[in-house]
Amino acid sequence: MAVVPGGSGELECPGAGRRVPVPSGAGLARELVRLVLAALLTAVTPSPARIEAMVLRPAGGVCGPADAGPVDAVRVGGTWATELAGTETFTRFVDVQNTRCWLAGCTLDAPEGAQLSLRAAEPLLSVDDLVTQDTARLTQYMHDRGEGEVWPHLVVLGRPEQTAKGGIRLLLAFTEHRLADELICRAIPANGGLR
């Protein structure tokens, strides 16, 4: 069984008789960021009180057509506030034409009197600073590792910083892998698997 794009914003599993709605535009970007922030939450203890993220998303591909403006244009997108596993989140989107992956500058606020710690384990991946100086180097490095153009990791760029009030600031790079994986899992029946 293969998963193929449906004609109306859906994934279709031929033979399974199942269609899964796929969000479009801003909804698709929010869904990806929701999955990324949820994955980040699994690597932080205790749970942060709040996460604020500035997300630079590629203007082409999943975000929309590359003709969204001049190649050197940065377009200010919308904002999105939600709650994930008891943590308040606020995200601002910015569309950037000249990037091969998504970037999220995140500030995680600690609960009153606590200090957050970040586990250096999945889903986070730390690589040498030389690799993370620009997104072209990073994506080529990930490709050379055998990850291809989309990878499942949240790559930590530089060193995370501890804030004066026990929080953490960090910069992440990621691709649409988590979103594609999630949509495929929704489309495939739990007991059926790929055939």
Side-chain angles (χ1 to χ4, degrees):
M1 168 173 50
V3 178
V4 297
S8 60
E10 296 178 324
L11 286 179
E12 179 181 353
C13 291
R18 188 171 176 152
R19 290 178 174 268
V20 175
V22 177
S24 62
L28 198 57
R30 285 192 298 268
E31 182 68 7
L32 175 58
V33 170
R34 181 189 68 77
L35 292 168
V36 166
L37 294 180
L40 177 59
L41 283 172
T42 68
V44 178
T45 55
S47 290
R50 176 180 164 88
I51 298 176
E52 191 163 321
M54 171 70 79
V55 175
L56 290 100
R57 59 186 177 182
V62 76
C63 290
D67 63 351
V71 72
D72 60 351
V74 173
R75 294 193 176 237
V76 178
T79 60
W80 178 56
T82 192
E83 186 176 302
L84 294 171
T87 299
E88 175 188 351
T89 67
F90 176 81
T91 304
R92 178 172 298 283
F93 293 96
V94 177
D95 295 339
V96 180
Q97 300 252 11
N98 290 329
T99 185
R100 299 178 184 187
C101 60
W102 296 58
L103 297 170
C106 301
T107 300
L108 294 75
D109 294 335
E112 188 68 36
Q115 182 159 334
L116 299 179
S117 65
L118 195 61
R119 290 183 302 112
E122 286 290 337
L124 300 180
L125 175 67
S126 294
V127 295
D128 189 88
D129 288 345
L130 180 65
V131 174
T132 61
Q133 289 177 354
D134 66 63
T135 58
R137 269 188 209 175
L138 174 62
T139 54
Q140 185 61 50
Y141 171 79
M142 296 302 278
H143 186 271
D144 292 347
R145 274 178 51 123
E147 304 278 353
E149 299 303 314
V150 289
W151 61 84
H153 313 287
L154 306 180
V155 179
V156 180
L157 304 179
R159 303 211 188 301
E161 301 172 358
Q162 200 82 43
T163 68
K165 294 185 178 182
I168 297 173
R169 282 190 208 101
L170 73 161
L171 181 60
L172 300 172
F174 54 95
T175 67
E176 294 89 354
H177 183 281
R178 286 186 180 278
L179 179 60
D181 204 35
E182 173 76 10
L183 292 172
I184 289 170
C185 286
R186 289 181 199 167
I188 298 171
N191 60 353
L194 288 172
R195 294 191 183 122

